[in-house]
Amino acid sequence: MASEAVHSGAHSGVHAEAHEEAHHELPARVEPDVTTSELIATTEANATGVRNWMWILGALTLVGIVVAFVKVLIEWSDQDEWGYTAAMVAFLFSAFGGAPLVAIAGTLAKGNWVRPIARFAALCSLVSIICTIWMIPLILNLPMLVVDGARRRSIWFEGPDVSPHIWALVAMITLIISALGLIYAYAIPDFAAMRDHSTGWKQRFGAWLARGWIGTTVQWRTMRMRIGMMGTLYFFTFVFVHFIISTDFAMSLVPGWRDAIFPMYHAISSIQAGLAVTVIGLWAARKYLGLNKYLHLDQFWSIGRLMFAFTLLWGYFFISAFIVFWYGRSGSDQMWIDYLILGPYFWVFILAVLFIWFTPWWWLIWNRVRRSYNGTAIGAGLILLGVFLDRVRLYVAAWTVPEDRIHERFLTEYPSTVYPDVMDIFIMVGALAGSILLILAATRVLPILSIWDVQQFNLLYRPVEYMKTKVSLIGKPD
C-alpha cells in the first residue's frame, strides 16, 4: 500500500508529495522535444496499424447503418422491436459519456496522475454524437404524453405532448456542445505544437485553432478557466441527460414504476463504466501505440482504486432503491420486483449483478491486482459487460410493454422475454464500432495523450530516495 510524505520547500514554497512505489519501476523522465515529436507522430495515418483498425471498424459501422435503415423500413411502428437499440444507446452514453468525468475531477483536484490520460478521457465524450444520431428513431417512437385522450405518467406533468421528444434532443445537443468545448479547451496548447512541428494541412489546421497561443501566463490562466467552465457545464448536462434518458426512455414506459433513486443509480453506474472505458483505452494505447513511457502504473493504480470505490457505490445505490420496493409491498412495488428482477429477465439480472458488482468487487479488492496493468484491465472489462447487461435488463423490459397498457396503474401481466435478433446484433456491434472509430479518427488529428499535460507531468515529477526506498516527488504548482 502506498505511503505519502508531504514536503514544503523553505525557499520556493512548493509543496510536494512522495508516493512509495516499491513494487514497480518509477516513470522515467522524457525530454520535452522527444515527448512532442513522439506524441505528434502517433497522429500519422499509418502509425502502428491504426489505419487497418479504422477500416475494420468502418466496415462494421457501415453494416450497422444499413441494417438500421432496413429495420426502420420493416419495424418502424413496432415499439417492442427497439428495446435493444435503446439499451445500446444507454450503454454507449453510460460508458463513454462517463469517461470525461475522470479528466474533469482529476484536473480540478490538481492530481498529477491524471495529466497523461485527460485527453483520452475527454475524447470519449465525442460518442455523444453517435448516441444523439441513434436516439432519433427512439425519440420518434416514444409515445405521446396524451394517449387515447388521457395523459400518461411521466415527469412532464403539464408540458406539451412533445416534451419528452424535444427536451431529450435539446439535452443531447447541449451535451455535444459542452463536450466539444471541453476537448477544445484541453487542446489549445497541442494545436500550437501542431502548428510549430507539423507540416501540410495539419500545420494550417493547428495554426487556425491555436488562436495565437504562445504560452503566456494570461493564456495559461485563461485556458484553465475555460477547462473549469466547460467541465462544469459538461458535468451538469451529463447528470441532466441521465435524468432524461432514465425517466423518459425507461421508467415512464412501465406503468407503476416509480423510483426516485433510479436516475442517480443510472449516473453512478455510468461513472463506473466511464472509469472502465478509460482503463481499456489506456491499456490498448500501451499495447498497440507504444506509449509505455508515458502511461505508467500510477494511472492504472489510481483508476483501479476509483473503480473499486464505485463498484461498492453501485451496490449501495441498488440496495437503497431495492429496500423501498421490498418493504413497501404495494401493488406497484411488487410489480417492480416481479417484472424487472424476478421476471422474464431474471438471468440477465443475475449476470449483471455478477459482472457489475460481485466479480469486480472480489477481483479489485486485491492490492496486487490494482497494481497491475492487465489485472486492472480485466476488472474494467467485467464492469463494462455488467453495465451492458444491466441496460439490457432495464430498457428491453421497458420497451416491451405494449403501448395500449400504458395507462394501467401497474402491470399485472408481464410480457415474455424478448431476445435479440440478427438485426439487433448488427446494430449494436455497428454502434459500438462507430463509437470507437470516431475516437480513433479524432486521434488522427490530436495525440491520444495531451502533449502539454505530459510535459507538465515531467516538470512536476522527480524520482528520489526516501527512507531507503525510491519514491516519486511530485510538486504542486499552486
Side-chain angles (χ1 to χ4, degrees):
M1 189 171 182
S3 62
E4 299 183 355
V6 181
H7 306 273
S8 59
H11 300 288
S12 61
V14 176
H15 301 284
E17 299 173 328
H19 300 276
E20 181 181 344
E21 300 171 322
H23 299 285
H24 64 279
E25 294 183 1
L26 296 179
R29 302 189 68 179
V30 186
E31 294 299 323
D33 292 341
V34 176
T35 299
T36 302
S37 60
E38 288 185 352
L39 291 182
I40 288 181
T42 61
T43 63
E44 297 300 326
N46 295 321
T48 61
V50 173
R51 173 180 288 182
N52 296 333
W53 281 106
M54 293 181 67
W55 278 110
I56 296 173
L57 293 171
L60 293 174
T61 303
L62 182 61
V63 171
I65 294 173
V66 172
V67 173
F69 274 111
V70 174
K71 188 179 182 70
V72 168
L73 295 176
I74 297 177
E75 302 173 345
W76 173 252
S77 60
D78 297 332
Q79 178 181 305
D80 58 345
E81 296 293 340
W82 292 92
Y84 282 94
T85 304
M88 175 267 299
V89 171
F91 169 72
L92 291 179
F93 174 67
S94 298
F96 292 94
L101 298 185
V102 181
I104 295 170
T107 301
L108 295 180
K110 300 179 181 178
N112 201 56
W113 64 270
V114 80
R115 295 181 185 277
I117 67 176
R119 165 65 49 73
F120 173 76
L123 288 178
C124 288
S125 63
L126 290 173
V127 179
S128 57
I129 300 174
I130 302 292
C131 294
T132 303
I133 295 174
W134 282 104
M135 277 185 67
I136 293 176
L138 299 179
I139 291 174
L140 296 177
N141 271 281
L142 273 180
M144 290 293 183
L145 285 181
V146 178
V147 181
D148 297 331
R151 179 176 292 271
R152 66 182 178 90
R153 294 181 179 91
S154 72
I155 60 174
W156 312 104
F157 303 111
E158 297 181 357
D161 290 355
V162 292
S163 293
H165 313 73
I166 292 177
W167 289 112
L169 192 59
V170 169
M172 290 301 299
I173 292 175
T174 306
L175 188 73
I176 292 174
I177 294 173
S178 61
L180 294 176
L182 180 65
I183 293 173
Y184 179 69
Y186 266 111
I188 294 177
D190 284 7
F191 284 129
M194 185 188 305
R195 172 197 64 198
D196 299 335
H197 296 85
S198 299
T199 57
W201 70 269
K202 286 187 178 181
Q203 185 181 44
R204 296 189 296 271
F205 187 68
W208 179 58
L209 292 178
R211 312 300 295 176
W213 175 275
I214 57 175
T216 64
T217 302
V218 174
Q219 287 177 333
W220 280 109
R221 188 183 301 117
T222 304
M223 187 199 70
R224 290 189 175 92
M225 180 183 65
R226 289 172 178 168
I227 292 175
M229 293 173 59
M230 299 309 301
T232 303
L233 177 61
Y234 182 88
F235 171 74
F236 284 111
T237 309
F238 168 83
V239 174
F240 179 68
V241 171
H242 271 287
F243 176 71
I244 293 293
I245 290 179
S246 61
T247 54
D248 284 339
F249 292 84
M251 192 159 48
S252 68
L253 300 180
V254 181
W257 182 5
R258 295 185 294 272
D259 187 356
I261 298 178
F262 179 62
M264 185 52 65
Y265 162 87
H266 206 276
I268 288 296
S269 59
S270 174
I271 299 175
Q272 182 189 15
L275 291 165
V277 163
T278 304
V279 169
I280 296 296
L282 299 180
W283 181 85
R286 278 182 54 89
K287 186 175 180 63
Y288 298 108
L289 297 182
L291 298 175
N292 301 41
K293 65 175 69 175
Y294 304 110
L295 293 174
H296 315 116
L297 199 57
D298 282 343
Q299 284 78 44
F300 289 81
W301 193 358
S302 299
I303 299 180
R305 285 178 286 187
L306 289 174
M307 280 199 306
F308 179 68
F310 275 91
T311 297
L312 299 180
L313 198 59
W314 180 92
Y316 169 78
F317 272 88
F318 176 79
I319 294 298
S320 297
F322 179 79
I323 59 176
V324 174
F325 298 99
W326 180 259
Y327 288 106
R329 289 297 178 174
S330 66
S332 60
D333 294 336
Q334 190 62 48
M335 180 277 300
W336 182 87
I337 296 175
D338 291 341
Y339 184 46
L340 294 176
I341 293 184
L342 302 179
Y345 301 96
F346 171 72
W347 290 109
V348 180
F349 168 73
I350 293 297
L351 291 175
V353 173
L354 181 66
F355 288 111
I356 200 175
W357 177 71
F358 180 78
T359 307
W361 164 76
W362 178 85
W363 180 252
L364 295 172
I365 198 172
W366 306 104
N367 290 334
R368 183 173 297 179
V369 171
R370 295 197 307 273
R371 285 200 298 261
S372 66
Y373 300 106
N374 294 332
T376 310
I378 292 173
L382 294 172
I383 289 173
L384 288 177
L385 178 59
V387 172
F388 172 74
L389 293 173
D390 190 55
R391 297 300 184 260
V392 168
R393 172 182 71 94
L394 295 168
Y395 286 86
V396 176
W399 283 74
T400 305
V401 177
E403 187 175 341
D404 58 1
R405 302 179 61 186
I406 203 168
H407 292 304
E408 295 182 3
R409 183 178 178 186
F410 55 84
L411 285 180
T412 55
E413 297 179 5
Y414 307 137
S416 58
T417 307
V418 175
Y419 297 96
D421 56 23
V422 176
M423 287 195 293
D424 290 326
I425 293 175
F426 275 117
I427 288 175
M428 289 188 291
V429 172
L432 179 60
S435 302
I436 301 174
L437 176 64
L438 184 60
I439 296 175
L440 285 181
T443 61
R444 300 305 87 202
V445 178
L446 286 171
I448 194 171
L449 303 184
S450 174
I451 298 174
W452 70 270
D453 265 332
V454 173
Q455 301 282 27
Q456 286 197 355
F457 178 90
N458 288 328
L459 289 173
L460 297 174
Y461 158 81
R462 178 185 301 172
V464 298
E465 290 189 3
Y466 177 76
M467 298 290 290
K468 297 183 179 180
T469 187
K470 293 181 179 180
V471 299
S472 300
L473 188 68
I474 302 175
K476 295 294 185 182
D478 47 28

